[in-house]
Amino acid sequence: MKKLYFSLLFSVACFAAFATPVIYVNQIAFDSNGPKSGVVQFDSKLTKAFAFELVNIATGRVAHTGMLSEPETISDWAPGKLFFQANFSAFRVAGKYRLRIKYAGAVYTSSPFEIGEHAVAKRTLSAIIHYYNKQRANTPGELAADAKMQLFGSNDKVDLRGGWCDASGDVSKYFSHLAYANYFSPQQIPLVTWSMVSADEAIPGLLKKWNLKDSLETEALYGADYMMRALSKDDYFYMIVFSYFNKDPNARRVVGLLANSVTTNQYQCAFREGGGMAIAALARISQWKKDGDFTSAQYLDGAKRAFAHLLANNTKYDDDGKENIIDDYCALMAATELWIATDEEQYRTEARKRAANLNGRMTAAGYFLSNDANRPYFHASDAGLPVVALTRYLSKEKEETYRVSALKTIKQALDYNLAVTNRISNPFGYARQSFLFKGKVKDGFFIPHENETGWWWQGENARLGSLATAAVVGGRLVYPAEGNWGIKATLADYAERQLSWIMGCNPYDMSFIYGFGKNNVPYMASNYGHGSERGGISNGVTGKDGCADGSGIDFKREAAGNEWRWTEQWIPHAAWFLQAVAAMAQPVDANK
């Protein structure tokens, strides 16, 4: 056992005191027309310029040679280590490769990876669809219990069959959780559904070519059907079916959720609590004119009813009684999709109002404000959604005055993302952010562990996917360019590094997409036979456990029951990754 332990410890190559170089690289694939790079770690200074090689695995021949960049450091993570970029973006020949360096008489190679046209999407999309299919809450026990799901604090029961289990360790079903914290509400089942519809419409030709279109659309319709069942007779959405982590599916209830799994009867979704994205997903999928268990006309009617209800009741459902930026971008998504679906003036008016609200939240520094005071917008899973929402709005908005304002906001947001990320030495290119900590605005890699939730922090792979998506779809509007997915090189590099981090180019040499790459996180089992699945994406890396401000770096396979913060698969991660890779594979002028 000790021998196995030390073997695993060595394999993750996590900034240990190695005397030998370590090569970190995306372990899955690079798109031919996108940026491509790896990171090489040394323990000592190099005395001269140093070359790296790209080796074709099939032939064993050197296909490309380049020079390592100037050294970089990252003292907060790895004091004393030196990091060098191995950039091979100019190389586009399809094939399977490894990076190789020769140092002190020895040869060091990276994990294998593929280069090809739309290679990331081609390699991963089938598995992501498989993952969601396996996440369905459709075992006999779940279906029987969900058909008569009891409302918390009531004897009333509703039919809430369907939906996806939230995570590899949690079989609850969420429109959103953390509503009580006001600024942290992530978008969950509704985001997954909208992401599937968006991806399907972005790359229909490729999905047909790969025989994936029918299965993706079936999964999206499955999500829409659950949201229709979750739409109450009073036209609000039920937020959560909570398991209480009980092995008996009949123990679950429809609830509102506070910290420490305290449940309430406040289960009505505000715009920011999944309601806005549910409306957006239903309105958008209604335009397919395809039926699931409900008809396309019912999807649209449900979206209209829910939107009208939230216009009158939203602040009543917001836990603090006030709207914030999450209400704005989720309501913008809802109004935009209804405007696209109906071309009605009322939805145009609401979309313009919400876009103006987002524009008004942009600061001179380049980050959004979450509230009406001084809290920067930072989010562990949906950081790119304000830009994505504005981009979707601009696909319908044609009046120049409104377009100019929204485009200015998108540009400022993307400029800020690049600036804050590159403000310090950052060899892995990990997206940094600004946040409020103890009353002061700070910049950092990871969200502070001491935050409004009182307990919640975890790996931020969804955030990385959302920012990559924003860089591509927003960049095509404000920084169009030839090559690099149709955006300027610096934005493309930023987007690629976020996805490459997820695919293995990170300090733990870990592919967070289960079933892909050399190193994966441990399997996690859950109730009713659910658990980790191929194509699912784990939470990932955090700030150092015990550092309240999120500084340092950590990834734990085991942590006395708290390893979920790093190892658990969560449905928003794969949803944002799906959006990002579909955007990268989308024809360049599609969202103009």
Side-chain angles (χ1 to χ4, degrees):
M1 181 60 75
K2 287 185 177 179
K3 183 177 181 182
L4 175 60
Y5 172 80
F6 285 112
S7 176
L8 288 172
L9 188 63
F10 182 84
S11 71
V12 299
C14 170
F15 293 148
F18 297 136
T20 57
V22 182
I23 305 175
Y24 304 98
V25 71
N26 166 350
Q27 299 170 16
I28 301 174
F30 294 93
D31 289 352
S32 296
N33 69 338
K36 309 168 196 70
S37 64
V39 176
V40 183
Q41 173 192 320
F42 287 92
D43 289 335
S44 57
K45 293 182 178 179
L46 301 178
T47 57
K48 60 181 179 180
F50 204 85
F52 70 90
E53 298 171 334
L54 187 65
V55 179
N56 186 300
I57 292 174
T59 65
R61 295 177 180 173
V62 175
H64 176 80
T65 300
M67 303 302 294
L68 295 181
S69 68
E70 292 297 311
E72 297 178 81
T73 60
I74 184 163
S75 57
D76 192 36
W77 295 359
K81 307 295 183 182
L82 296 173
F83 300 92
F84 300 77
Q85 303 292 325
N87 191 306
F88 50 103
S89 299
F91 186 81
R92 298 187 173 192
V93 179
K96 295 182 178 179
Y97 300 91
R98 293 180 188 268
L99 289 180
R100 184 172 73 186
I101 62 170
K102 298 175 182 177
Y103 177 73
V107 176
Y108 302 90
T109 60
S110 74
S111 298
F113 54 85
E114 184 177 335
I115 295 174
E117 186 178 20
H118 310 312
V120 179
K122 187 176 182 180
R123 286 287 309 278
T124 61
L125 290 193
S126 176
I128 289 172
I129 297 168
H130 161 87
Y131 161 69
Y132 284 114
N133 187 265
K134 293 298 184 181
Q135 284 295 111
R136 288 185 177 195
N138 64 357
T139 62
E142 288 169 288
L143 291 172
D146 288 351
K148 52 183 190 310
M149 184 56 55
Q150 187 171 332
L151 304 181
F152 182 91
S154 167
N155 291 322
D156 293 342
K157 296 181 179 180
V158 293
D159 179 3
L160 283 179
R161 290 170 296 142
W164 297 284
C165 297
D166 190 58
S168 54
D170 185 0
V171 293
S172 302
K173 300 187 293 190
Y174 302 94
F175 270 51
S176 179
H177 76 328
L178 305 175
Y180 70 92
N182 296 306
Y183 299 110
F184 274 79
S185 291
Q187 307 306 305
Q188 286 156 273
I189 285 176
L191 172 76
V192 171
T193 307
W194 190 89
S195 297
M196 290 176 176
V197 181
S198 180
D200 183 83
E201 294 178 4
I203 51 171
L206 290 175
L207 291 171
K208 286 180 180 177
K209 179 180 178 181
W210 299 332
N211 296 315
L212 297 176
K213 200 171 196 308
D214 288 345
S215 57
L216 180 57
E217 290 182 353
T218 297
E219 210 61 36
L221 289 165
Y222 174 82
D225 287 338
Y226 177 70
M227 290 187 290
M228 288 298 296
R229 292 192 189 95
L231 182 60
S232 74
K233 58 181 175 52
D234 296 318
D235 296 335
Y236 61 78
F237 292 103
Y238 296 114
M239 193 187 314
I240 296 168
V241 174
F242 191 58
S243 73
Y244 294 90
F245 304 99
N246 192 312
K247 293 184 178 180
D248 179 6
N250 294 293
R252 295 180 298 165
R253 296 289 184 271
V254 176
V255 304
L257 197 60
L258 303 179
N260 300 315
S261 299
V262 174
T263 49
T264 76
N265 64 356
Q266 304 301 303
Y267 42 64
Q268 303 86 356
C269 290
F271 276 124
R272 71 180 180 230
E273 297 163 0
M277 286 304 298
I279 293 164
L282 288 171
R284 188 167 186 176
I285 204 170
S286 75
Q287 299 310 286
W288 286 2
K289 308 302 180 187
K290 292 185 176 183
D291 302 339
D293 292 341
F294 296 83
T295 67
S296 60
Q298 287 175 309
Y299 295 145
L300 183 57
D301 178 67
K304 289 179 174 180
R305 289 190 286 116
F307 190 79
H309 181 82
L310 284 181
L311 284 184
N313 295 281
N314 191 60
T315 54
K316 183 168 69 177
Y317 301 150
D318 283 330
D319 280 54
D320 61 357
K322 297 182 292 186
E323 292 191 336
N324 64 41
I325 190 173
I326 308 179
D327 293 284
D328 281 335
Y329 61 64
C330 290
L332 175 58
M333 275 293 202
T336 294
E337 295 296 359
L338 282 167
W339 182 19
I340 292 170
T342 68
D343 210 30
E344 292 181 13
E345 183 177 350
Q346 62 174 319
Y347 302 123
R348 181 190 68 187
T349 299
E350 288 299 323
R352 286 176 173 173
K353 181 182 83 172
R354 294 294 181 168
N357 286 356
L358 282 180
N359 296 338
R361 293 186 184 279
M362 175 55 65
T363 64
Y367 55 75
F368 291 99
L369 287 178
S370 293
N371 58 9
D372 298 326
N374 65 336
R375 185 190 189 278
Y377 171 67
F378 63 97
H379 203 282
S381 64
D382 301 322
L385 193 45
V387 167
V388 173
L390 285 169
T391 301
R392 181 62 177 162
Y393 160 69
L394 288 173
S395 72
K396 178 65 174 175
E397 181 61 79
K398 303 305 176 189
E399 291 201 20
E400 193 64 20
T401 300
Y402 297 103
R403 289 187 61 84
V404 167
S405 297
L407 289 168
K408 179 182 177 183
T409 301
I410 291 171
K411 182 177 182 296
Q412 287 176 287
L414 297 183
D415 287 348
Y416 156 77
N417 288 344
L418 292 180
V420 72
T421 295
N422 296 320
R423 197 167 286 158
I424 65 170
S425 180
N426 188 358
F428 290 88
Y430 187 94
R432 298 174 76 246
Q433 56 199 316
S434 297
F435 52 83
L436 195 65
F437 182 73
K438 295 188 181 300
K440 295 183 178 180
V441 176
K442 294 187 64 174
D443 296 343
F445 289 100
F446 308 107
I447 66 166
H449 299 177
E450 187 177 296
N451 58 57
E452 291 97 336
T453 69
W455 67 277
W456 188 84
W457 51 274
Q458 63 172 49
E460 303 173 31
N461 282 335
R463 181 177 76 92
L464 303 186
S466 77
L467 290 170
T469 304
V472 176
V473 300
R476 286 177 174 172
L477 295 179
V478 298
Y479 285 117
E482 294 294 323
N484 289 319
W485 307 307
I487 58 179
K488 69 175 183 177
T490 50
L491 263 184
D493 182 69
Y494 173 88
E496 184 274 327
R497 284 169 171 263
Q498 310 321 310
L499 296 195
S500 280
W501 176 283
I502 295 170
M503 292 187 284
C505 191
N506 56 68
Y508 295 87
D509 197 26
M510 179 76 67
S511 170
F512 293 111
I513 308 181
Y514 198 71
F516 290 83
K518 182 182 70 174
N519 298 314
N520 278 176
V521 302
Y523 179 86
M524 180 178 288
S526 191
N527 292 336
Y528 324 141
H530 296 296
S532 300
E533 289 290 347
R534 175 177 167 83
I537 298 177
S538 296
N539 291 331
V541 180
T542 69
K544 186 71 176 174
D545 193 1
C547 291
D549 64 353
S551 60
I553 190 168
D554 225 338
F555 178 82
K556 296 183 179 181
R557 294 167 175 262
E558 296 182 1
N562 283 318
E563 58 272 5
W564 65 269
R565 296 189 189 276
W566 300 276
T567 64
E568 188 173 39
Q569 294 180 353
W570 189 39
I571 59 175
H573 298 312
W576 277 116
F577 191 90
L578 170 67
Q579 279 198 57
V581 297
M584 290 169 176
Q586 184 179 22
V588 168
D589 61 351
N591 67 327
K592 289 184 178 180

